[in-house]
Amino acid sequence: MSVSATLQTPAQPPRDLRAPAQPQPPRDARPTPLELPVGKGTISGTVVVMGSGQPARRARVNLSGGSEVGGGRSATTDDNGSFTFTALPEGRFTLSASKAGYVSATYGQRSPGRPGTPIQLGDGQKMDVKLTMARGGVITGIVLDEHGEAIPNTPVRVLRFVMPGGQRTLQNAGQDQTDDRGMYRIFGLQPGEYLVSATPRNVNTRGAVIEQQQATLQALMQNAERLAQANPAQAQMIADRVVQMKSTLSQMVSAAIEDEQNTGYAPVYYPGTTAPASASVVAVGAGEEKTGVDFQYQVVPIARVEGVVTSSTGPMPPNVQVTLLNTAFDVPGLNPGSARVDQNGAFRIQNVPPGQYTLIARGTVNSGREGGPAGRGFPTPAGRGEPGLAGRGRGMAAPGTETRMWGSADITVDGRNVSNVVVSLQPGVPVAGRITFEGTTQQAPADLSRMRVTLQPVVAPGTTGDVASSAAGRVEADGKFSIASVVPGRYRLTASGAGNGWYLGSSTIAGQDSLDFPIEIKGGQGVSGAVVTFVDRQTEISGLITNDRAQPVPDYTMVIYPTDARYRIPQSRRIASTRPSTDGRFIFRNLPAGEYRLAPVLDPEPGSWYDPGFLQQLDNAAVRVTIAEGEKKEQNLRVPGGG
């Protein structure tokens, strides 16, 4: 594909035509509380079923957007699949449709589940459109036990591989329960790749046998009493049997108390493995029904992981949660279990299959909690008490004053119970800094106490996550901020609440901009001197994409990314995508100054543009664009076609 480019200076600031997030299906047919302003435009059309072209009757159609005042409307298609929205103002709109058993559709999308094309409606313009809805995909099959017999009432779920921030992860996409034939059927699925998992209902077989033996023993003893005088010989035989059963039962109870080990069912993945890394991926196309996705439970030694969580600083945080992460499977989204510790710090996680795990414990102590010691606080990482905060809500603490506690332990489960695991909670470390403003056209806010700073965790590529969790801080009127407790991990430091006209420019810790390269926060090492800078100049790259006949081409996804490969990382602020509107216009705002490449791409998988390999494939066809701080530039593109 060849792309020609023209560089212009816009006569007028272009409208913001960035593609919004995918709309959610409306809850009901009533107008939303925020109505669209009244105009003279009309958007009408039909919703049809992909493949057959038949009308999609009683589908819900949602219209959102507008020129200056946001809002939305919804309608239901008639028997011909038709709908109409009238009295619309000039502006940019997003049109979507949903129906049970179908994949939600957005106007202009090239395939189900992809972003659509925003509609640019002129003043008084009337537009007729068509939306195509695909029937949802289906995965169906039978779940069997180890003997090949159907298992009813077994939960089955499907998990879809997605790349929301450039990292491949799993997202729950649907679930069902097997019927009396062991059959399940999960429908309404988007095209994509799935893992199918069945969750067994384990029964403590040893406990069941003991209960059965106890019931039999009780019945024999009652029979022996009744026969003692009528038939002494038979009564003696029963008495001997009772003595034998008591001995056997005593041994079983002793063994159960000593070990409590069970062989049972672990969560199983198609085609019949307890290891997620060995599971087969089920690919589903638009409206496709995948039948025969059958698999069988495996009887494996399932273990119990138990232990105690302690606190290295004194009081135990309330509601401490422990979670097992499967470190052998590098895709987040599959954890074998979690539990809350009791008042003594003890925890127990049942039915854990063999594997390599990391046990993570988390808890939070809020300073000034209701019911805590008056005037005293819990110890902070520096060893001083954080003073109680009077006048706040029940059980609440000011932002940035919570003490986050964390601990972890690596565990190997080989089928035997893992006992006496001790996880010691450590306090997070403090992070402090200041907020600055670099303004050219306006003054910095006088009071910054209403602003908020946040450390957002960033999962490293190829990992399943760690103990990191988001932490918010409080800002003083002069811009100094502090976050009392941050657990180890990789983070980006951001801030909000500066007001209109101010944009986050940089966030520097130890000379490194965390907005570009996440900062590693380590246990026991506090951070000071962080600087968050806001600027009042916003970059803007806009343009028009047309074909050889100068006609707008809205079918492409515009991808902009840095020339410097160091910045081509997941969730990078220097990588962005948007769909042009129906008039072919697109816009990117607030990119950091630097050199970029701009490429039109047909129907990319959402999030794929964060993949360095994907971007490298675009390099030859991409157009180079350089943008300075606060600069506004127009970059038009021409693609072949239209003859």
Side-chain angles (χ1 to χ4, degrees):
M1 176 185 68
S2 63
V3 178
S4 61
T6 57
L7 188 63
Q8 304 174 7
T9 300
Q12 296 180 351
R15 301 184 183 91
D16 185 357
L17 300 179
R18 291 173 296 175
Q22 290 267 7
Q24 297 295 320
R27 296 181 179 177
D28 53 49
R30 292 174 296 177
T32 56
L34 186 59
E35 287 284 2
L36 288 170
V38 175
K40 299 179 180 179
T42 299
I43 296 177
S44 60
T46 56
V47 183
V48 299
V49 178
M50 179 182 292
S52 68
Q54 295 296 315
R57 302 176 181 87
R58 289 177 292 282
R60 178 68 59 83
V61 183
N62 187 60
L63 181 72
S64 61
S67 55
E68 296 181 357
V69 181
R73 300 180 189 174
S74 63
T76 301
T77 59
D78 59 20
D79 288 343
N80 297 316
S82 301
F83 65 91
T84 300
F85 294 100
T86 60
L88 297 176
E90 177 184 8
R92 180 172 176 269
F93 296 88
T94 298
L95 187 68
S96 63
S98 61
K99 184 178 179 180
Y102 290 76
V103 179
S104 295
T106 303
Y107 172 73
Q109 64 183 185
R110 293 184 60 87
S111 58
R114 297 291 202 259
T117 300
I119 297 173
Q120 185 62 42
L121 190 69
D123 184 21
Q125 182 180 1
K126 292 177 171 47
M127 182 173 288
D128 188 71
V129 299
K130 182 171 75 173
L131 280 78
T132 303
M133 298 186 71
R135 295 185 184 275
V138 176
I139 296 178
T140 181
I142 297 174
V143 180
L144 307 173
D145 65 13
E146 71 276 20
H147 304 295
E149 297 179 358
I151 307 178
N153 303 322
T154 298
V156 181
R157 63 173 178 161
V158 295
L159 302 109
R160 180 170 174 259
F161 283 101
V162 294
M163 295 181 62
Q167 183 179 13
R168 189 172 166 89
T169 186
L170 286 167
Q171 183 181 80
N172 190 36
Q175 58 189 16
D176 192 21
Q177 186 167 281
T178 59
D179 60 18
D180 60 312
R181 301 165 295 176
M183 181 174 290
Y184 69 92
R185 178 182 171 87
I186 302 174
F187 62 92
L189 301 176
Q190 283 192 18
E193 295 183 333
Y194 294 85
L195 290 187
V196 186
S197 171
T199 305
R201 300 183 184 276
N202 276 300
V203 177
N204 187 328
T205 54
R206 173 173 288 168
V209 171
I210 290 175
E211 290 180 3
Q212 183 180 13
Q213 292 280 359
Q214 288 175 332
T216 303
L217 179 60
Q218 184 68 25
L220 286 174
M221 293 174 64
Q222 293 175 354
N223 289 337
E225 293 176 357
R226 289 197 299 268
L227 293 173
Q229 295 184 3
N231 193 336
Q234 188 175 2
Q236 184 59 47
M237 292 175 60
I238 294 177
D240 293 342
R241 177 60 177 159
V242 167
V243 172
Q244 182 181 0
M245 288 192 65
K246 281 184 177 181
S247 176
T248 302
L249 189 59
S250 177
Q251 294 176 7
M252 293 177 65
V253 172
S254 297
I257 294 174
E258 178 182 355
D259 184 40
E260 290 189 30
Q261 186 69 48
N262 288 315
T263 295
Y265 299 120
V268 62
Y269 302 88
Y270 174 78
T273 176
T274 59
S278 301
S280 294
V281 173
V282 179
V284 178
E288 183 181 10
E289 180 166 340
K290 285 285 188 177
T291 60
V293 185
D294 307 337
F295 51 108
Q296 195 170 18
Y297 277 173
Q298 291 187 21
V299 178
V300 298
I302 52 175
R304 180 186 68 250
V305 176
E306 62 182 356
V308 65
V309 177
T310 64
S311 174
S312 64
T313 59
M316 175 69 71
N319 300 321
V320 173
Q321 180 88 16
V322 293
T323 304
L324 276 177
L325 296 181
N326 191 329
T327 57
F329 188 53
D330 63 358
V331 176
L334 292 178
N335 298 323
S338 62
R340 291 194 180 276
V341 304
D342 63 18
Q343 59 185 1
N344 298 316
F347 67 88
R348 173 179 292 185
I349 301 176
Q350 302 278 17
N351 303 330
V352 181
Q356 299 289 329
Y357 301 97
T358 296
L359 181 70
I360 294 177
R362 298 184 182 92
T364 302
V365 175
N366 290 331
S367 301
R369 287 174 56 89
E370 184 180 42
R376 297 195 303 273
F378 292 97
T380 65
R384 298 187 301 271
E386 189 75 31
L389 299 173
R392 298 195 177 270
R394 293 176 58 89
M396 300 296 291
T401 63
E402 304 93 345
T403 299
R404 286 175 167 78
M405 309 289 288
W406 65 276
S408 65
D410 293 329
I411 296 173
T412 299
V413 178
D414 59 5
R416 293 172 292 182
N417 290 333
V418 180
S419 303
N420 302 319
V421 178
V422 178
V423 180
S424 178
L425 292 178
Q426 307 293 322
V429 298
V431 173
R434 58 191 174 90
I435 297 176
T436 64
F437 289 81
E438 295 180 358
T440 58
T441 61
Q442 57 183 343
Q443 295 292 324
D447 183 0
L448 306 183
S449 60
R450 293 184 179 275
M451 294 189 65
R452 183 182 180 91
V453 292
T454 306
L455 278 166
Q456 294 288 352
V458 179
V459 178
T463 66
T464 56
D466 48 30
V467 298
S469 59
S470 62
R474 54 183 178 180
V475 183
E476 305 297 336
D478 61 358
K480 293 180 180 179
F481 68 83
S482 61
I483 305 176
S485 183
V486 181
V487 301
R490 300 170 74 248
Y491 292 90
R492 284 192 176 97
L493 177 63
T494 64
S496 59
N500 294 333
W502 290 104
Y503 312 99
L504 185 60
S506 63
S507 171
T508 304
I509 301 177
Q512 179 174 316
D513 194 337
S514 71
L515 300 181
D516 287 322
F517 304 105
I519 298 297
E520 184 78 24
I521 303 292
K522 299 181 179 179
Q525 298 181 12
V527 175
S528 61
V531 180
V532 178
T533 303
F534 281 84
V535 298
D536 62 353
R537 294 185 298 168
Q538 184 184 39
T539 62
E540 185 175 276
I541 299 176
S542 61
L544 179 68
I545 180 170
T546 59
N547 59 20
D548 292 336
R549 298 179 61 182
Q551 297 170 329
V553 183
D555 293 337
Y556 287 87
T557 294
M558 308 302 298
V559 177
I560 194 166
Y561 60 99
T563 301
D564 191 338
R566 294 179 304 159
Y567 297 105
R568 300 180 183 182
I569 58 177
Q571 304 174 37
S572 172
R573 64 172 177 156
R574 297 174 185 262
I575 300 174
S577 69
T578 188
R579 283 290 298 270
S581 59
T582 49
D583 61 0
R585 296 203 63 84
F586 62 89
I587 191 168
F588 297 95
R589 284 199 174 107
N590 209 27
L591 291 168
E595 186 177 84
Y596 292 86
R597 292 183 177 180
L598 177 64
V601 186
L602 279 175
D603 202 30
E605 179 184 357
S608 61
W609 39 80
Y610 290 107
D611 180 2
F614 176 85
L615 296 177
Q616 188 175 7
Q617 296 175 13
L618 302 180
D619 282 347
N620 291 334
V623 175
R624 294 198 176 206
V625 184
T626 301
I627 191 80
E629 290 186 11
E631 184 180 8
K632 291 179 172 57
K633 181 173 288 187
E634 185 162 326
Q635 178 68 66
N636 295 330
L637 298 179
R638 181 173 295 173
V639 294

